[in-house]
C-alpha cells in the first residue's frame, strides 16, 4: 500500500510503500530525487531517465521526495553523478552525519516524520535553492519550450545545460520531456482520451505520445495505466 502527504519542507512530499506481494512497482521518471529509508538504512534515489524496477524481495520503504533541482544542494553532490542510480547516503555524506540522521529517523514516531526531520537538518546546513532553476522548472512544467524559456530567463544555452546537469541530472530538454510525460499521465489517468491527452500535454500527436511513454517507462501507455 502506498500513502503520501505534503512535507513540512516547501514542495516536498513524504511517502510510504508497503508492497502487498512480489510486484514491487515501476518507478517512473519524474525529475525528482528521494531520500529513502528501509530496514535501518538511508539511501538516495537519483534522477531517472527511464523506469526503475526495484530488485530483491519486497520490503517496506519510506521516502521524502524533493522537487526537481532541490536535493543536490542538500546533499552536496551534482545530480548527474546520481543519474539512474540508488546509492547509500554514506557514499555522499560523512559517516558521523549519516549516523545522526539515521538516529533522527529511528527516534521519530514513524519513518515519514523522521525523514522530514532528517531532511530539515540537511536543509538547514545547505544554501537556498537557485531561484532561476525554480523558474525554469515552473516554465517547463507549464509546457513552455526550452529555447523560449532560456531567452526569457536571460541565460545562454551552454550555461543553462551546465546548471541543469548539476541540478537535475540531465539537460533541460530531457527535463522537459520527463515533465511532459508526467503531464500526459496525469491527464490519461483521469480518462482523457489518448489523442486529446497528446495534444494537451504538448506532444505532436498520439503516436508521439505512445513512443515517448514506451521509451521512458518501458511499457505501452495502456499497460501502464492498468498498473501491470
Amino acid at each position: 500500500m502506498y500513502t503520501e502527504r505534503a512535507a513540512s519542507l516547501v514542495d516536498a512530499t513524504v511517502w510510504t510503500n508497503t508492497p502487498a506481494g512480489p510486484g514491487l512497482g515501476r518507478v517512473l521518471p519524474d525529475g525528482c530525487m528521494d531520500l529513502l529509508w528501509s530496514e535501518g538504512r538511508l539511501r538516495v534515489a537519483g534522477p531517472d531517465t527511464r523506469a526503475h524496477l526495484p530488485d530483491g524481495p519486497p520490503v517496506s520503504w519510506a521516502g521524502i521526495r524533493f522537487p526537481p533541482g532541490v536535493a543536490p544542494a542538500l546533499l552536496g553532490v551534482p545530480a548527474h553523478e546520481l543519474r539512474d542510480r540508488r546509492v547509500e547516503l554514506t557514499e555522499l555524506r560523512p559517516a558521523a552525519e549519516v549516523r545522526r540522521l539515521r538516529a533522527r529517523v529511528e527516534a521519530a514516531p514513524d519513518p515519514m516524520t523522521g525523514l522530514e526531520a532528517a531532511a530539515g537538518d540537511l536543509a538547514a546546513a545547505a544554501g537556498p535553492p537557485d531561484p532561476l532553476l525554480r523558474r525554469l522548472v515552473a516554465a517547463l512544467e507549464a509546457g513552455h519550450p526550452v529555447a523560449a524559456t532560456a531567452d526569457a530567463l536571460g541565460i545562454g544555452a551552454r550555461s543553462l545545460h551546465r546548471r541543469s546537469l548539476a541540478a537535475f541530472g540531465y539537460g533541460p530538454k530531457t527535463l522537459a520531456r520527463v515533465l511532459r510525460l508526467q503531464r500526459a499521465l496525469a491527464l490519461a489517468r483521469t480518462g482523457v482520451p489518448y489523442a486529446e491527452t497528446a495534444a494537451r500535454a504538448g506532444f505532436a500527436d498520439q503516436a508521439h505520445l505512445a513512443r515517448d511513454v514506451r521509451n521512458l517507462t518501458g511499457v505501452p501507455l495502456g499497460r501502464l495505466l492498468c498498473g501491470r
Side-chain angles (χ1 to χ4, degrees), residues 2-226:
Y2 177 86
T3 61
E4 69 173 39
R5 62 171 172 79
S8 54
L9 292 173
V10 177
D11 295 331
T13 300
V14 285
W15 56 268
T16 59
N17 186 27
T18 303
L24 299 183
R26 186 178 298 267
V27 181
L28 304 182
D30 59 4
C32 301
M33 292 175 58
D34 294 61
L35 178 63
L36 307 172
W37 173 263
S38 182
E39 300 184 313
R41 297 161 67 186
L42 285 166
R43 307 176 196 178
V44 175
D48 293 323
T49 61
R50 58 184 182 273
H52 173 73
L53 295 174
D55 55 10
V59 295
S60 296
W61 290 87
I64 181 165
R65 182 180 307 116
F66 302 102
V70 171
L74 304 186
L75 300 172
V77 60
H80 63 81
E81 294 186 8
L82 302 176
R83 184 172 55 234
D84 294 317
R85 298 178 62 201
R86 271 63 179 161
V87 303
E88 300 290 336
L89 186 59
T90 49
E91 295 184 31
L92 310 176
R93 308 295 297 181
E97 179 184 16
V98 175
R99 285 194 296 270
R100 289 195 299 271
L101 295 174
R102 188 168 60 237
R104 291 277 271 167
V105 180
E106 291 174 337
D110 59 79
M112 294 169 75
T113 303
L115 284 168
E116 282 186 284
D121 290 349
L122 291 171
D130 186 339
L132 183 143
L133 294 177
R134 291 177 64 89
R135 291 166 58 197
L136 170 65
V137 173
L140 297 183
E141 283 181 331
H144 298 304
V146 172
T149 299
D151 289 342
L153 295 176
I155 186 171
R158 289 185 179 180
S159 178
L160 179 61
H161 188 81
R162 182 174 63 254
R163 292 169 74 169
S164 294
L165 283 177
F168 311 125
Y170 33 62
K173 290 185 178 180
T174 299
L175 177 62
R177 189 178 176 217
V178 166
L179 296 177
R180 184 177 61 189
L181 168 72
Q182 290 296 325
R183 288 198 303 276
L185 293 178
L187 291 167
R189 284 168 177 150
T190 65
V192 176
Y194 292 175
E196 184 181 347
T197 289
R200 290 172 58 182
F203 292 88
D205 51 30
Q206 186 174 334
H208 183 200
L209 167 65
R211 288 194 303 272
D212 239 29
V213 168
R214 183 181 283 275
N215 288 340
L216 289 169
T217 73
V219 294
L221 179 56
R223 180 180 172 189
L224 189 66
L225 296 177
C226 288

